[in-house]
Each structure stands twice: as structure tokens, then as C-alpha cells.
């Protein structure tokens, strides 16, 4: 990322992110060196003594359980060192200490102390269950990477490990709290690691762990991880910004003190109990603002701010009025997150005011409960049990997002695809919309009507056909805007459209659509595979496939061993997709049937092999347009009912239908003649089919409108129109893709076009050299 355009002073030719080395993703590998046993024991004891001072919220039994976990971990890590030379046990103790500041329970603290035991020390899950119980073992297992399994790439390993961690987090949020504490301590000590690893670890922190912390409302951890990652990714720029902020802090100290004094005086006049804290933008947030808005450091005016903590929510609004009396508010810089909380549960009033000397100062006004939630997010469940309703807090703290992880996992078996869905939801810059019943819903910025439909319920999304915004009908791809009232129009006969994947924003919607399409495609492929194999077995002299009865199980088992498929459904799907050639499978099946005593029909063989090109062949696949994903109609020739057609079974592509005389068919028949199968049209197709039409018109005013009107009056829908890129001439070609029922309907459309004023000629578009035969 270059800052040349905005901050020349931050450009350094020697400031390169550290390159990622190809190594284990474990930040601290197991050292082989040892130190003096007494020194190690003393250092570890000192660290654990500091931890026990933070455990005053636990009872004696829990503290003893934590102490036992420490002794077990200390023994397991004996002789291991961190890169800075300290005993390795100091790291688990530091992680547990961070968890103790969130006041996590004893089980979480024990898991924090043991979190590297399974990964680095050969301790098994069974060992932990026996010693500390199943809950602690499950927490540790959720934190353990999948090092024992074999993966083709490091990225695949990482994706699968993240999936395991996120699913464990969805079931027990303590997993991610321990993991974030682990990552925080590793980032604080990253300078001790080889510089070659800085880039990979910092990028991973910035792209994954910081967004997860933010998504769960752990803002203090979020800001720290961002700054530490920035410090190691861009060390020179970090240093330059640090010095600039230090100088600005010294220059503006008097101004900030004056603002704080005047605010404290104002609150004392109304005798409101308040706590006022000065705050400063983090280095990374300043850097990102400079980069995104192309600003110099001098142009960033809202570096400083104040947090005002008051007793009640009503006092927040009173304090806001007082602030606006004291300093003038900047227009458009007020946000009410109390009335409408952020997705991660954050609540506060934000207002930017013009302070002394024209310096902008942001004020955040909130209650004590809101302040705890704002800084600690899901950890507030443990920190603030007495004054925060757990049910409301859990709902605001992202439990819906955690549950959505489980939903996405149920529909996505591929780890990389699962991770793609999750990453979408990690950056939820929210918009707030209303249902027709005035229920408010928060959605990621850029989300569409389809995302909203799936957020309501998967059935609503699956059957959506339209939407209304504030009573006005809009397309489903329309983006949501703050304050809109959204109504989804659904139809029981409607199904998800593959085109939706091109514009949906949320991971939930994307996974639901893909799951439906995969399930539907598999079902259709199995049906098509059975038809193709039935057609092929008839050519071998057998009327139909063996039944699924117990007597024929042996035949199917032998056939599956021959084909290498797990079950009959997979075999049929492979036949439909062209991964298995139906005729080869049928020959093997015929051998098995003959070997079991079945007699073939010689007359059927003769009929199928020598008369299979007849349109009424009993073995032909019949098409009526309801085939959806299992059958594709070639766009090179665009066949319609009435055309003579052939089916081509491409390798892994499914069945593609061409006009019999299509040049592509002639070319493929030289290479893969055995992959062509007999297909025929149904007597009653259930839908219309697309076909290309070219109309040459005398150029003039309103010609396109006249042609479009003729097509509409002929009961034909326009799917696409192309006028070419040439400048307008006396005669212009208009190319349309229209929908027709069959050849008869197409003839009517062309006849009407030729009668239209200004239309010189109208013909069907076909590849050159194609002679269309009637079916």
C-alpha cells in the first residue's frame, strides 16, 4: 500500500513488509535448548504469583483447580524456551492473566494454561479429560490446530484450522476469548521472532483476529491487535506517526486540558455525577484514515476526544444537550448508537464538536454498563454479570453471528469456501432497516434485498421473487439504505437463482443459495444419470436397470467397485456429468447381469443400435425445459422445440443440447462420437426457450421502440439486445436474444418483424454453415 499521493513523509523505500516464510503457522516453535532448572522455576513461579493476584473473584476450590492446571502445563513445557530466552510456561501464564482480566471462569483459565499442551507436548485429549474433565479438554481441543492431518497446501491447512476454531467458538465463546488473549501476547512479543515471520503473522492478525475481536465487541483488544500488527508490518511508518503524535500531543496539551476543565465545570453546575476520560485515536486508525482519504497528518483533525460516562441512558441525552450548548456541533457528525446499537452490541452517543482554536473534538457519551460492553464485548458477560441482563447482552454480543457460523457450516463442507463466507461477515459496516411490522434489523453495508430475505428466514430467501422499499417495488439486487421499510414478495413456486451469487453480500445468504443449488443439481444429476444408463443398457439388450432389491445388491456392489464410486447415487451423478461414460458402465453391467443368469434381448439390441437415431426411439432422453442445472442448452446455436437436436455429454460438464447440424457438433463428433446421446423434445414443453434473432432496420427515430413493441405483441420477451459498437448508418443490425415457445412461435415472431415499418430483414441467428432440420 503506497502513500505517495497523500503522505510523502511516510514513504520509505526500505520499509517493506516482512516476507512470509514457508513454515508452521505456530508462532512459537518448540525450542530444543534448555536453561538452568532453578532459574526456570523462579521465573515461572514469579509469573504464576502475578496471575494468582488477579484471581480474587474465584473461590478457593477454583483457584486450586487453576493451580493444578499450571503445574501440569509447567511439567509438560519443561525445558522449552521462547525466542527471548524465557521459560515457555510464561506464555500460557500471560494468556491466562489476560483471561483473568476479563474475569473468565476457572475452566477457561485452566484451558488458557493448557492451550499449547496438545499441540506442542504430545498430550492427548483423553489425558486432559481424565485429569481436568471434558469441558476443559473441549476448550483446549478447539484451540489446537490440525497439525496431524495431511493437506495439499498451507492455505488449506490454515482454512481447515480456522474452521475448527470458529465452530468451537460458536459452541463456546470462551474458545475465541482464549485465542485472542493468546494472539495478543504473541503479538506483544513478536519482536523476538525472526523478522521473516513478521509479515505473515501480522497480516493474519490484521485480516482475521482483529476483525473477530471487533465483531465480538472486544474493542480494546481490537485496537491493540491493529496497532501491534501495523507496528510490525510497517515499522518505519509506525515510528514516523508515533513521533508526529507525540509532538502534536505536546503542542495541544493546553488545549485539551482547557476543554476538559470547561466540560467538568459545566457538569458540576447541573450536579450530574460524571467520569471524563481523554482518548486518542490509535496509530493504525490514523494511518488508515490518511491512506483512504489521501490526507496528510496535519489534515487529520479528530485525533483527540473525550469519553463521558454518566449514570443512566437518559443522562446521556442530557449530557449531549449540555455539550452542544458548550461547543458548536459539526453538522452530520452525530450518531445515536444507544437507540440503534451496532451489530456487536456497542452503545454510545457520538458527537464531534468544534473546540477552542477550531480543533474538532469527538465526545462519546455512555453509561457505565455501556462502557464495559464497549471495551470488553462478549467478555462483559463475565465482567458485568450483576447489572447487565445476560439474555439481552448475549443477543447484542453477536450470538446471532455465532449461530450463523453453525448454519453456514451445515451447508458448506469445503473449508476454503466456509472461510470465504465467514470473512464476508467479519467487516459489518452496518445499515439499519425495518420490516413491515417495524422490527429493526441491522445488515452489512452493501447488503441487498436477497440478503435481507435470508436474514428473515431461509424459506423467505429461497422463494423471493421481488421486494418493496417504502411501498415501491424494486429489483432484488437493490442495496439496503438506512431507515428503509423492506417488504419481500415470495412465491412458493420460485427457487434461488444462481445469478444472486453475483450480488449477495452476507455469508448466510451465499451459503444458503449455494447449498440449494448443489442439492438441486445433485438430485437432477442422479435422475439424468439413471435415464442415460437406462438408455445405454437397452443398447446392450436389457430392458431396464437392475432393481434395488436384495437379490441385485451383489450386482450393484460389483459395478461400484468397477467404477470406483461410493454408492449408486454418486455413480448416476458421475454418468450425468460425463465423468463416467454411460456405454462403458452399461457394458460392464451387462456382463454382470449375464453372469448372474439374466438373458439379453437380441431384438432390443438390434432396435437400439441400428434405429436409435429415430426420433421416437424408446431410449431417447425427453426434454421439456424443467431440467434446470442438469441440462444446458448451447448458446452457440440456441436450440428450441421443433429443431432436430443431439445431446453431448462433456467431461464433468453435464449434458449440453445442440442443434443436430451445429458446426460445434460436427467438430466434436470427430473426437468424441461416443459422448453423443439421443435426445428429443417433449410434446408439451413447460417453459419458453431463448433464441437469437437479427433484424436489419432502416435507421431512424423510434425504430428500436417499434421493433421492441412488435416483439412484445408477438408474446416474446427480450433477454438481451445488442446494437454493435459502430456509428449509426442508414441500415443497422439489431441483434436480440428473445424467448419463444417453439419453432412455430419463432416463425410468427419473424413474420411480424418483417411486416414492421423500417425493418428490412429479420432472420434467426445461427452459426455459419448450420442447416436447421425439423425434429
Amino acid at each position: 500500500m503506497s502513500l505517495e499521493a497523500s503522505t510523502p513523509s511516510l514513504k520509505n523505500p526500505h520499509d517493506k513488509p516482512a516476507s512470509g516464510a514457508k513454515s508452521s503457522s505456530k508462532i512459537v516453535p518448540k525450542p530444543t535448548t534448555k536453561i538452568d532448572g532453578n532459574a526456570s522455576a523462579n521465573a515461572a513461579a514469579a509469573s504464576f504469583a502475578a496471575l494468582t493476584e488477579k484471581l480474587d473473584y474465584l473461590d478457593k476450590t477454583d483457584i486450586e483447580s487453576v493451580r493444578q492446571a499450571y503445574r501440569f502445563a509447567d511439567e509438560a513445557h519443561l525445558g522449552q524456551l521462547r525466542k527471548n530466552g524465557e521459560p515457555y510456561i510464561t506464555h500460557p501464564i500471560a494468556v491466562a492473566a489476560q483471561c483473568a482480566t476479563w474475569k473468565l471462569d476457572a475452566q477457561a483459565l485452566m484451558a488458557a494454561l493448557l492451550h499449547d499442551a496438545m499441540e506442542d507436548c504430545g498430550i492427548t485429549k483423553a489425558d486432559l479429560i481424565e485429569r481436568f474433565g471434558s469441558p476443559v479438554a473441549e476448550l483446549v481441543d478447539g484451540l489446537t490446530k490440525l497439525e496431524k492431518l495431511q493437506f495439499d497446501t498451507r492455505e488449506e491447512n490454515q482454512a481447515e484450522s480456522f474452521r475448527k476454531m470458529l465452530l468451537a467458538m460458536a459452541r463456546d465463546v470462551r474458545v475465541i476469548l482464549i485465542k485472542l488473549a493468546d494472539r495478543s501476547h504473541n503479538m506483544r512479543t513478536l519482536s523476538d521472532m525472526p523478522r521473516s515471520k513478521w509479515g505473515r503473522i501480522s497480516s493474519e492478525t490484521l485480516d482475521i483476529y482483529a476483525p473477530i475481536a471487533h465483531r465480538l465487541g472486544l474493542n480494546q483488544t481490537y485496537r491493540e491487535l491493529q496497532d501491534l500488527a501495523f507496528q510490525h508490518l510497517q515499522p518505519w511508518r509506525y515510528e514516523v506517526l508515533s513521533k508526529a503524535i507525540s509532538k502534536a500531543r505536546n503542542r495541544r496539551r493546553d488545549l485539551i486540558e482547557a476543554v476538559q476543565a470547561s466540560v467538568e465545570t459545566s457538569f458540576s453546575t447541573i450536579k450530574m455525577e460524571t467520569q471524563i476520560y481523554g482518548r486518542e485515536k490509535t496509530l493504525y486508525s490514523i494511518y488508515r484514515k490518511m491512506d483512504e482519504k489521501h490526507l496528510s497528518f496535519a489534515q487529520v483533525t479528530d485525533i483527540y476526544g473525550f469519553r463521558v460516562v454518566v449514570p443512566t441512558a437518559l443522562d446521556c441525552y442530557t449530557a449531549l444537550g449540555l455539550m452542544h450548548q458548550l461547543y458548536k456541533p459539526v453538522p452530520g457528525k452525530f450518531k445515536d448508537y444507544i437507540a440503534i446499537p451496532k451489530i456487536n452490541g456497542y452503545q454510545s452517543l457520538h458527537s464531534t464538536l468544534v473546540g477552542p482554536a477550531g480543533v474538532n473534538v469527538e465526545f462519546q457519551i455512555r453509561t457505565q454498563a455501556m462502557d464495559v460492553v464497549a471495551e470488553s464485548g462478549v467478555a462483559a458477560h463475565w465482567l458485568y454479570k450483576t447489572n447487565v441482563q445476560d439474555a439481552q447482552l448475549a443477543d447484542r454480543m453477536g450470538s446471532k453471528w455465532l449461530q450463523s457460523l453453525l448454519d453456514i457450516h451445515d451447508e458448506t463442507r469445503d473449508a476454503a469456501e466456509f472461510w470465504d463466507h465467514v470473512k464476508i461477515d467479519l467487516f459489518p459496516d452496518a445499515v439499519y432497516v425495518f420490516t413491515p411490522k417495524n422490527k429493526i434489523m441491522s445488515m452489512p453495508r452493501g447488503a441487498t434485498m436477497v440478503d435481507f430475505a435470508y436474514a428473515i428466514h431461509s424459506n423467505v430467501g429461497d422463494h423471493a421473487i421481488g421486494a418493496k422499499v417504502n411501498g415501491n417495488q424494486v429489483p432484488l439486487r437493490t442495496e439496503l439504505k438506512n431507515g428503509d421499510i423492506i417488504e419481500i414478495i415470495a412465491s412458493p413456486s420460485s427457487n434461488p437463482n444462481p445469478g444472486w451469487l453475483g450480488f449477495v453480500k452476507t455469508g448466510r445468504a451465499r451459503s444458503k443459495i449455494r447449498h440449494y443449488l448443489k442439492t438441486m443439481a445433485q438430485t437432477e444429476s442422479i435422475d439424468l444419470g439413471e435415464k442415460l444408463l437406462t438408455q445405454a443398457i437397452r443398447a446392450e439388450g436389457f430392458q431396464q436397470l437392475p432393481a434395488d432389491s436384495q437379490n441385485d445388491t451383489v450386482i450393484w456392489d460389483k459395478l461400484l467397485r468397477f467404477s470406483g464410486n461410493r454408492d449408486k447415487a454418486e455413480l448416476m451423478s458421475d454418468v450425468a456429468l460425463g465423468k463416467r461414460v454411460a456405454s462403458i458402465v452399461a457394458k460392464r453391467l451387462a456382463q454382470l447381469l449375464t453372469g448372474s443368469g439374466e438373458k439379453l434381448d437380441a431384438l432390443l439390441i438390434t432396435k437400439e443400435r441400428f434405429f436409435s437415431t429415430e426420433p421416437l426411439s424408446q431410449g431417447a432422453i425427453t426434454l421439456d425445459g424443467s431440467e434446470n442445472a442438469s441440462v444446458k442448452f448451447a448458446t452457440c446455436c440456441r436450440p428450441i422445440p421443433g429443431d432436430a437436436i443431439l445431446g453431448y455429454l462433456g467431461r464433468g460438464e453435464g449434458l449440453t443440447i445442440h442443434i443436430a447440424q451445429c458446426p460445434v457438433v460436427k467438430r466434436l463428433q470427430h473426437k468424441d462420437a461416443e459422448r453423443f446421446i439421443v435426445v428429443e423434445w417433449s410434446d408439451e414443453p413447460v417453459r419458453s426457450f431463448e433464441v437469437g434473432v437479427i433484424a436489419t432496420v432502416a435507421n431512424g427515430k423510434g425504430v428500436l421502440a417499434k421493433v421492441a413493441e412488435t416483439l412484445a405483441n408477438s408474446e416474446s420477451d427480450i433477454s438481451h439486445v445488442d446494437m454493435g459498437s459502430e456509428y449509426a448508418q442508414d441500415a443497422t443490425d439489431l441483434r436480440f436474444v428473445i424467448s419463444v415457445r417453439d419453432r412455430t412461435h419463432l416463425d410468427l415472431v419473424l413474420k411480424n418483424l418483417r411486416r414492421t415499418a423500417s425493418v428490412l430483414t429479420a432472420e434467426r441467428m445461427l452459426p455459419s454453415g448450420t442447416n436447421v432440420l425439423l425434429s
Side-chain angles (χ1 to χ4, degrees):
M1 180 162 45
S2 172
L3 290 179
E4 290 183 56
S6 58
T7 56
S9 62
L10 291 182
K11 184 170 182 280
N12 178 16
H14 303 293
D15 188 17
K16 298 177 181 177
S19 60
K22 192 170 184 180
S23 64
S24 167
S25 60
K26 178 75 186 108
I27 292 178
V28 184
K30 182 161 69 172
T32 57
T33 55
K34 295 188 177 183
I35 59 172
D36 177 68
N38 291 332
S40 175
N42 292 337
S47 298
F48 187 73
L51 170 62
T52 53
E53 292 177 3
K54 299 181 179 181
L55 304 183
D56 53 354
Y57 63 96
L58 297 177
D59 58 35
K60 291 183 179 179
T61 303
D62 286 342
I63 293 176
E64 182 56 33
S65 297
V66 173
R67 193 182 302 278
Q68 289 177 11
Y70 158 69
R71 288 171 182 155
F72 186 88
D74 188 28
E75 184 177 343
H77 291 292
L78 190 63
Q80 297 178 16
L81 298 180
R82 287 176 65 80
K83 287 294 182 180
N84 60 5
E86 292 181 352
Y88 190 84
I89 189 63
T90 58
H91 168 64
I93 291 172
V95 174
Q98 175 62 56
C99 293
T101 63
W102 292 327
K103 291 185 167 43
L104 299 193
D105 58 21
Q107 289 179 349
L109 297 181
M110 293 161 71
L113 288 165
L114 298 165
H115 76 273
D116 279 332
M118 286 176 62
E119 198 168 299
D120 290 350
C121 306
I123 305 298
T124 66
K125 185 177 178 180
D127 294 335
L128 295 179
I129 292 174
E130 182 181 353
R131 186 74 179 266
F132 302 106
S134 182
V136 173
E138 290 295 339
L139 287 173
V140 176
D141 185 55
L143 292 159
T144 304
K145 293 192 291 294
L146 304 173
E147 302 262 332
K148 299 286 187 292
L149 300 181
Q150 296 297 317
F151 296 94
D152 294 335
T153 64
R154 186 182 182 282
E155 289 73 20
E156 186 182 345
N157 186 344
Q158 185 186 50
E160 193 63 58
S161 295
F162 281 132
R163 173 161 73 167
K164 178 186 175 185
M165 181 190 72
L166 288 170
L167 291 176
M169 173 186 77
R171 297 185 182 99
D172 191 335
V173 76
R174 292 177 296 178
V175 169
I176 198 61
L177 291 174
I178 298 167
K179 186 62 183 178
L180 289 172
D182 176 38
R183 180 52 60 120
S184 296
H185 186 253
N186 280 328
M187 289 303 297
R188 290 172 197 145
T189 58
L190 186 58
S191 299
D192 298 323
M193 294 291 292
R195 185 155 183 158
S196 60
K197 294 188 177 183
W198 287 11
R200 175 179 59 79
I201 297 170
S202 297
S203 295
E204 189 179 85
T205 300
L206 209 53
D207 295 339
I208 298 168
Y209 292 103
I212 289 176
H214 186 239
R215 194 67 175 76
L216 297 175
L218 295 155
N219 288 317
Q220 189 171 349
T221 303
Y222 165 66
R223 292 191 296 266
E224 182 185 13
L225 288 176
Q226 281 189 326
D227 267 10
L228 289 169
F230 175 42
Q231 179 181 357
H232 292 90
L233 270 176
Q234 308 282 1
W236 189 84
R237 296 179 183 185
Y238 180 90
E239 188 65 28
V240 169
L241 272 180
S242 295
K243 291 178 179 178
I245 288 177
S246 179
K247 290 179 181 178
R249 192 183 297 125
N250 292 332
R251 286 198 305 268
R252 296 181 179 176
R253 181 181 290 117
D254 294 342
L255 183 147
I256 298 302
E257 290 175 353
V259 171
Q260 182 164 352
S262 61
V263 170
E264 289 174 347
T265 301
S266 298
F267 278 110
S268 65
T269 58
I270 62 171
K271 297 181 179 178
M272 180 185 292
E273 183 182 342
T274 59
Q275 301 171 41
I276 301 172
Y277 307 99
R279 50 175 294 277
E280 186 176 275
K281 268 187 178 290
T282 63
L283 287 173
Y284 182 73
S285 63
I286 295 170
Y287 170 74
R288 192 168 58 180
K289 185 170 186 177
M290 291 168 63
D291 182 55
E292 290 175 354
K293 298 189 176 182
H294 302 286
L295 303 174
S296 67
F297 179 75
Q299 292 173 305
V300 181
T301 58
D302 57 345
I303 295 174
Y304 304 102
F306 290 92
R307 182 179 305 147
V308 180
V309 179
V310 295
T312 68
L314 183 60
D315 290 336
C316 291
Y317 293 95
T318 303
L320 177 70
L322 189 66
M323 293 293 94
H324 285 193
Q325 291 292 318
L326 188 62
Y327 298 113
K328 297 297 181 186
V330 177
K333 288 291 187 179
F334 167 69
K335 293 177 182 176
D336 188 346
Y337 292 120
I338 294 180
I340 306 177
K342 289 186 178 182
I343 293 175
N344 60 15
Y346 177 88
Q347 286 186 293
S348 189
L349 296 178
H350 288 201
S351 187
T352 301
L353 311 179
V354 182
V359 175
N360 287 356
V361 181
E362 184 187 53
F363 283 85
Q364 298 174 354
I365 306 171
R366 60 181 72 144
T367 65
Q368 184 65 45
M370 294 174 191
D371 191 48
V372 173
V373 171
E375 293 305 304
S376 303
V378 289
H381 174 77
W382 289 273
L383 275 169
Y384 215 71
K385 281 181 180 177
T386 53
N387 295 330
V388 178
Q389 293 183 6
D390 287 352
Q392 293 179 354
L393 179 66
D395 187 52
R396 293 208 311 267
M397 288 302 98
S399 64
K400 289 182 179 178
W401 177 63
L402 296 176
Q403 180 59 43
S404 76
L405 294 179
L406 297 177
D407 295 340
I408 291 172
H409 174 258
D410 289 341
E411 293 149 9
T412 310
R413 294 302 172 189
D414 179 70
E417 186 179 324
F418 170 80
W419 182 236
D420 285 342
H421 293 330
V422 172
K423 281 195 291 188
I424 294 169
D425 289 345
L426 283 180
F427 303 91
D429 187 11
V431 295
Y432 299 90
V433 294
F434 295 89
T435 68
K437 295 182 179 180
N438 285 330
K439 179 185 176 183
I440 192 167
M441 294 188 65
S442 62
M443 300 291 295
R445 190 169 299 280
T448 64
M449 301 297 150
V450 176
D451 294 298
F452 178 83
Y454 277 105
I456 297 292
H457 196 278
S458 57
N459 284 338
V460 177
D462 285 346
H463 301 299
I465 58 171
K468 290 183 179 180
V469 175
N470 304 324
N472 300 316
Q473 192 148 349
V474 297
L476 285 172
R477 68 182 308 122
T478 304
E479 290 189 3
L480 304 173
K481 295 181 180 178
N482 273 322
D484 284 344
I485 300 174
I486 311 297
E487 179 183 355
I488 299 297
I489 304 167
S491 169
S493 60
S494 178
N495 294 316
N497 187 328
W500 292 354
L501 292 171
F503 59 78
V504 292
K505 182 76 173 176
T506 60
R508 175 181 172 81
R510 190 175 296 275
S511 67
K512 292 284 185 184
I513 295 167
R514 282 184 174 170
H515 177 67
Y516 180 89
L517 295 176
K518 283 180 181 178
T519 304
M520 179 63 69
Q522 186 176 15
T523 302
E524 292 177 355
S525 295
I526 292 170
D527 292 341
L528 177 60
E530 287 193 8
K531 290 180 182 179
L532 294 174
L533 197 54
T534 300
Q535 183 189 65
I537 200 66
R538 287 173 62 85
E540 301 299 326
F542 293 93
Q543 193 71 30
Q544 59 188 11
L545 296 174
D548 289 329
S549 64
Q550 190 171 1
N551 294 334
D552 293 322
T553 301
V554 175
I555 294 176
W556 281 114
D557 288 343
K558 290 180 179 178
L559 184 64
L560 292 173
R561 283 197 294 273
F562 166 76
S563 66
N565 293 102
R566 289 174 296 180
D567 51 39
K568 181 183 173 183
E570 186 181 76
L571 172 61
M572 297 305 173
S573 180
D574 282 356
V575 169
L577 293 173
K579 295 179 180 178
R580 300 279 183 275
V581 179
S583 60
I584 296 175
V585 176
K587 288 182 187 298
R588 177 58 178 164
L589 180 56
Q591 292 173 4
L592 294 172
L593 288 170
T594 303
S596 67
E598 295 281 342
K599 293 184 178 180
L600 54 82
D601 187 338
L603 181 60
L604 183 62
I605 294 176
T606 303
K607 183 178 179 181
E608 290 295 325
R609 290 188 178 178
F610 296 100
F611 298 100
S612 62
T613 55
E614 292 292 325
L616 295 179
S617 168
Q618 294 181 22
I621 303 297
T622 302
L623 306 174
D624 64 2
S626 64
E627 296 78 19
N628 293 327
S630 61
V631 177
K632 301 182 181 70
F633 293 88
T635 56
C636 55
C637 53
R638 296 189 187 276
I640 58 175
D643 294 337
I645 53 176
L646 278 175
Y648 175 72
L649 202 58
R651 292 177 175 82
E653 299 169 2
L655 184 61
T656 304
I657 309 302
H658 291 266
I659 291 174
Q661 298 300 312
C662 176
V664 176
V665 169
K666 295 176 181 177
R667 188 170 65 251
L668 290 172
Q669 280 178 328
H670 289 296
K671 299 189 303 179
D672 295 321
E674 75 282 356
R675 288 187 169 271
F676 282 90
I677 62 172
V678 178
V679 289
E680 61 184 25
W681 294 108
S682 167
D683 292 336
E684 296 182 0
V686 297
R687 67 173 177 87
S688 57
F689 296 80
E690 291 187 341
V691 66
V693 170
I694 181 168
T696 304
V697 299
N699 203 3
K701 190 173 183 179
V703 170
L704 181 58
K706 292 176 184 176
V707 174
E709 184 181 8
T710 299
L711 292 172
N713 292 337
S714 302
E715 299 181 355
S716 177
D717 292 332
I718 301 173
S719 302
H720 180 74
V721 60
D722 180 18
M723 301 178 63
S725 57
E726 299 177 358
Y727 288 107
Q729 301 175 0
D730 291 342
T732 301
D733 288 337
L734 301 179
R735 294 175 175 82
F736 295 91
V737 177
I738 61 174
S739 296
V740 295
R741 293 184 295 275
D742 50 29
R743 282 281 292 270
T744 303
H745 187 196
L746 174 61
D747 292 341
L748 175 64
V749 171
L750 293 174
K751 183 178 179 181
N752 290 341
L753 280 174
R754 290 165 187 149
R755 290 176 176 175
T756 304
S758 302
V759 175
L760 304 177
T761 62
E763 303 291 341
R764 179 179 179 179
M765 282 196 300
L766 290 167
S768 59
T770 305
N771 296 316
V772 183
L773 302 177
L774 296 176
S775 62

